[in-house]
Amino acid sequence: MEFGIRHIILAMVTFQLGTIAQRLNVNEYYCGNKPADVVFLLDSSNSIWGPHFRTQLQFVKDVVSMFQVDVNHTRIGIVTYGSRVRREFYLNEFLTKPGVLSAIDRIRQMQGYATHTHRAIKFMRQTMFTTEKGARADVAKIGIILTDGQSSNMLLTVWEASKAKKDNVNIFAIGIGSKINTRELRLMASRPTHEHFFKVTDFHALQNIKDMLAVRTCRVTIKPTPSTTTTTTTTPTTTTTTPTTTTTSLLEVANRVCENGVSDVIFALDSTTSVSDEDFENQMTFAKEIVNTLNVQKNGTRVGAVLYSDQVVNALDMNDLYDRNDVIATLEKTNRTAGNNRLDLAIKHIRTKSFRRGLARKHSAQLAIVITGSPVMFNEFAKQEADRAKESDIVVIPIGVGHAAVEEVKSLSGSSGKFYTVPSFSQLPSLIAEVAIEACRVPVAEKSIQDQACGSRQEADIMFMLDSINAGRKNTKRALALIRDLTNELDVAPDKIQVGLMSAECHEDTTGFLLNSNKNKNEVNDALSKTKSVDFSALLKRMRHGAFSQNHGGRRHAKKVAVLVIDGSLEEPLRALTEAQRAKLHGVEVIVVQVGEEKPQDEVLMMCDAPAKETFFKVSDYSELPAIKQKIWDSLCDEL
């Protein structure tokens, strides 16, 4: 019986592993599954402080620890360089992981003020990657170069790197600190450059890229291989073995990096007409596998999703579900849309609605994983929206599918230069581990959404409307004081928030002021002090007909908000509701503040934008308006 149970368990495990491998296709890489020869070139010049040099060595040890180091799998060699080049050990000197790690501990920093990077690359190409020194034929050759400054001869350095790449050496270039020459390092790195070039602020920041470097090295290393590998070492014995998988897979690295993550992650999936149903499902599978690596819980990582075409559909808000399985189940039930590619609208939705003040958290990383595989209609607008997202400390990770999407996603990456591309949707699984690690490495936002000024994230035209004829002079002043207090906490400027007022009697030139009449909050306050009362019955129609028009200071792409301060009950509620609904059809959002003991009329509640609990406010007396000022501000500024 025991024998049978053991076989059943073994069969279940084998089936599970086979299912995962089949589902992930090319993604479930194992770093030791294919032999690789890896040579590190370490800057050892005097520009590096001793403790920083040791930090560099620890980084190399951490990366080496992720490989299966032995005679038939990964071999490691190290060269240090400065004024001269020194071989620390060849590829065939230490053929076990403990041996390599101990050898790294024995490395000492050289002296010298020059940085002869070109000589180090030449030595790597001509000596390190030779059969005599342990290099193997038909094995991936990888050179990892670290430096904290510009080389002594940039032209020779780039030339030597070019010759090494022609000899099929895959070069990863890592620049440390502010004195590096980014152009030189990018020219040294293999293509695509954005996958082979790393830049960190200091030596301690090397820890932030060690997992990603290992992942990208594995992507070079892992290719389809025969079931057996024959390797001839410097010993007289020829060894033939079957490669075995190491316990350190890329997904295991991702799970380790993400296990305690605190992030807010939004997926934007391309649901345009040109994307087939199968390719849409490939995106869904990709998103679900990323979710599987994340620390999904209320106080950990929260996940949201939107679908986009020429409209944006919210599939999941970040605070809807806090269980990984529930998130995945919801994604599976999401129906696709169709239309043209308005990626700009998707990114705007993410930064203003998905990351609205009421949903965003302090002390959390904020990021959007955006997939696009169809022609973007307004790429310049999409770039502008991506730039504005970065200004709000929202990190955009763009993924382009197909060769046509490369330039489009590159423009979204901005100064970071980080983006991903695959030839087809079916190859998205190859990016799962790498994108998951990148997502989980996003740092906590320096300035949370809640701490950013109201108006810094989106332009808005806000029109206040007062029922002054019923309120009377004294209460109108109290209502104006509320508007003044709100305005003092808005970022009023021609390119941010504009404030208008509709409140005047039917005589004299006191009909409030237009949206572009006042350029800052002091001018708004002055205008408010000169404003008199108005009959509310006609205001809604006037507002709908022209208050937000460009002739009256309105801006085409600004958010439009009408804040109605109503005294008691409306005499003609149905007519007011009709006008408010017509305004909403033109993109005007309506917030209602009712003052008085009367029960709210159904028509008044229907005038508000949904949900009414966030856009309808009621007090019994005007003296109570200050008590709800913060709630009104929260509603006004949620997306601004």
Side-chain angles (χ1 to χ4, degrees), residues 254-282:
N255 288 325
R256 176 169 53 79
V257 172
C258 298
E259 62 182 353
N260 296 314
V262 179
S263 303
D264 288 336
V265 182
I266 300 293
F267 290 92
L269 307 181
D270 190 339
S271 188
T272 55
T273 304
S274 60
V275 174
S276 69
D277 290 343
E278 181 182 358
D279 287 340
F280 180 76
E281 286 303 317
N282 285 330

Side-chain angles (χ1 to χ4, degrees), residues 319-545:
N319 64 344
D320 285 346
L321 301 167
Y322 300 122
D323 179 83
R324 180 186 290 114
N325 294 329
D326 291 341
V327 170
I328 291 174
T330 300
L331 291 176
E332 288 175 344
K333 296 175 184 176
T334 302
N335 295 320
R336 63 166 303 168
T337 60
N340 295 317
N341 188 326
R342 289 299 305 274
L343 182 57
D344 56 313
L345 298 182
I347 300 176
K348 183 175 183 179
H349 180 101
I350 289 170
R351 69 177 183 82
T352 61
K353 296 184 183 295
S354 299
F355 283 104
R356 57 189 183 271
R357 293 176 194 273
L359 280 185
R361 296 181 295 180
K362 293 187 176 182
H363 313 302
S364 171
Q366 302 166 163
L367 63 139
I369 299 174
V370 180
I371 304 175
T372 185
S374 56
V376 178
M377 286 192 67
F378 302 105
N379 195 49
E380 188 58 35
F381 289 165
K383 181 180 182 303
Q384 291 173 8
E385 291 296 337
D387 289 342
R388 296 204 64 177
K390 295 182 186 73
E391 291 172 3
S392 295
D393 269 349
I394 300 170
V395 175
V396 177
I397 301 177
I399 301 174
V401 181
H403 300 296
V406 173
E407 290 305 317
E408 293 172 343
V409 296
K410 188 175 182 180
S411 68
L412 299 181
S413 64
S415 58
S416 69
K418 294 180 180 179
F419 63 93
Y420 300 89
T421 59
V422 287
S424 65
F425 285 99
S426 63
Q427 293 182 305
L428 279 172
S430 66
L431 296 178
I432 291 173
E434 189 169 351
V435 172
I437 292 171
E438 183 73 41
C440 293
R441 286 294 191 190
V442 172
V444 172
E446 293 184 4
K447 191 172 185 181
S448 67
I449 298 293
Q450 291 91 335
D451 294 332
Q452 296 173 25
C454 179
S456 62
R457 298 189 300 133
Q458 181 178 191
E459 300 90 350
D461 292 339
I462 302 175
M463 183 62 72
F464 290 93
M465 304 173 65
L466 302 184
D467 190 2
S468 302
I469 197 71
N470 293 316
R473 187 177 297 275
K474 182 178 180 180
N475 286 334
T476 296
K477 288 184 178 180
R478 287 175 172 170
L480 292 173
L482 170 69
I483 299 172
R484 183 181 296 112
D485 290 343
L486 286 169
T487 301
N488 284 333
E489 296 185 20
L490 305 178
D491 195 352
V492 179
D495 61 341
K496 293 184 179 178
I497 292 180
Q498 293 187 142
V499 175
L501 177 69
M502 297 183 71
S503 174
E505 296 175 346
C506 58
H507 59 81
E508 300 184 350
D509 187 20
T510 55
T511 57
F513 46 87
L514 303 178
L515 286 166
N516 60 349
S517 299
N518 305 293
K519 305 302 182 186
N520 54 57
K521 62 186 68 178
N522 293 330
E523 292 182 18
V524 172
N525 289 336
D526 289 342
L528 287 171
S529 65
K530 300 174 184 177
T531 301
K532 296 186 179 181
S533 303
V534 66
D535 179 6
F536 188 75
S537 61
L539 283 182
L540 285 170
K541 187 173 183 178
R542 286 173 49 201
M543 180 268 289
R544 180 174 65 84
H545 280 169

Side-chain angles (χ1 to χ4, degrees), residues 57 104 127 204 241 251 258 336 446 534 545 624:
L57 293 180
I104 294 173
T127 305
H204 295 292
T241 64
L251 280 182
C258 298
R336 63 166 303 168
E446 293 184 4
V534 66
H545 280 169
E624 299 174 8

